[in-house]
Amino acid sequence: MVPLFPPHIRTVAVISPAGPVATEVFAAGTEALRGSGVRVKIMPHANGRDPEVPYLSAPAAARAADLTAAWLDPEVDLLFCGRGGFGSAQLLPLLDFPTLRQRRMPVVGFSDITALHWAMTALDVGIPIAGPMLSALPELNDACRNAMCDAIAGTPRRLGRFKVIKRGRAEGLPIPGNLSVAMSLAGTGWMPDLSGRILLFEDVNEPDYRLDRMFTQLEQCGSLSRCAGAVFGDFSGAADPERLIRRAAAAIDGPVLSGFPFGHGALFPAVNFRQRLLIDDDGVISASATC
């Protein structure tokens, strides 16, 4: 079997910073983790459900305590998020980021985990990795397993060729995320500077007018004009996402690509926020060594 993690990842802690994970999904996902050859630590609220707020896995303080305990556990080499949903942003004011900065901890997840990943980026803490979560693990193909392993290790690789919306060349650190979650951080201290970054967005169940609103906000706050380029993933639920992508591309000076397999309906290749991406004139994306 193709390895899911590089050799230096020996113990993985499972956390749920946002929503609860269905019991059968949690069982299958953690079994897949164990099958990859790592030791698995399940944090106390990773498979819980807040009795008062059922769309959360636990109260914010408990979720923050799980993340902190796993991060600072000397045996743990990587944090693996159970699912998205909502709730990651609630942890941000409860986390002691200067203490967390003492360990370069990889944190794998996407969707609502964008809030945590972008705050980590803004404060230069840990190693955010946009990657599939528990529900996708039993179905990961060899290409996705390879991508996960390479992203965690920071191995240079070719991610593929994608549809060119705006031709050009660019190099920069990527900042993947769910568009609506990312925009919920605007105006907060957790919003990173997007200057010189390669944006990589996806979203799900957002109608065109809401996506248009978010792209307009990005444009009006200057983020689109300051980024190095943009790569757009899956926007399932939108009627005409390509029209919106082309409109956003007009405000971007660098290359713009679409069709990257990133989103809720795809088994996508993991992307390390600290691994520079290179986009060439033909729409080929490659990852260089980790910064």
Side-chain angles (χ1 to χ4, degrees), residues 11-267:
T11 301
V12 171
V14 178
I15 59 172
S16 291
V21 186
T23 301
E24 62 278 7
V25 171
F26 191 89
T30 51
E31 185 61 28
L33 275 180
R34 292 188 179 95
S36 69
V38 296
R39 180 187 176 201
V40 177
K41 284 192 174 184
I42 298 173
M43 301 311 290
H45 303 92
N47 194 25
R49 184 181 297 269
D50 187 335
E52 295 186 5
V53 189
Y55 55 79
L56 299 173
S57 64
R63 286 177 279 135
D66 276 4
L67 184 150
T68 300
W71 194 303
L72 300 180
D73 184 337
E75 293 185 345
V76 171
D77 303 304
L78 179 143
L79 306 189
F80 204 92
C81 297
R83 64 159 289 194
F86 169 72
S88 297
Q90 297 175 337
L91 275 60
L92 304 182
L94 304 177
L95 298 174
D96 183 351
F97 282 102
T99 298
L100 298 183
R101 190 179 289 117
Q102 296 172 16
R103 296 192 70 196
R104 204 77 149 166
M105 179 65 71
V107 180
V108 177
F110 81 110
S111 189
D112 189 71
I113 309 305
T114 295
L116 176 59
H117 278 167
W118 280 41
M120 290 167 62
T121 302
L123 300 175
D124 190 24
V125 175
I127 305 173
I129 296 174
M133 295 183 285
L134 281 182
S135 63
L137 282 186
E139 304 170 8
L140 285 189
N141 56 30
D142 286 351
C144 287
R145 294 178 70 89
N146 263 326
M148 178 83 80
C149 188
D150 287 347
I152 295 167
T155 304
R157 58 198 167 110
R158 184 182 186 273
L159 277 69
R161 177 182 281 113
F162 305 97
K163 183 175 181 178
V164 176
I165 303 297
K166 190 178 217 178
R167 194 170 298 279
R169 301 176 68 86
E171 179 178 353
L173 288 171
I175 187 154
N178 176 274
L179 179 59
S180 55
V181 175
M183 294 316 301
S184 74
L185 297 179
T188 74
W190 320 114
M191 183 71 174
D193 183 0
L194 304 183
S195 301
R197 293 270 183 170
I198 294 178
L199 310 181
L200 206 172
F201 283 128
E202 61 85 24
D203 219 318
V204 62
N205 296 331
E206 292 289 353
D208 290 30
Y209 77 91
R210 290 187 182 177
L211 295 174
D212 202 352
R213 177 191 298 150
M214 290 181 270
F215 286 138
T216 298
Q217 184 177 5
L218 279 170
E219 179 181 1
Q220 293 181 348
C221 70
S223 293
L224 294 185
S225 62
R226 293 195 304 268
C227 72
V231 179
F232 292 94
D234 186 32
F235 288 85
S236 55
D240 191 5
E242 182 128 329
R243 177 185 65 82
L244 299 173
I245 290 169
R246 289 185 179 277
R247 194 181 74 72
I252 297 172
D253 290 333
V256 178
L257 309 180
S258 69
F260 189 83
F262 175 41
H264 289 68
L267 295 176

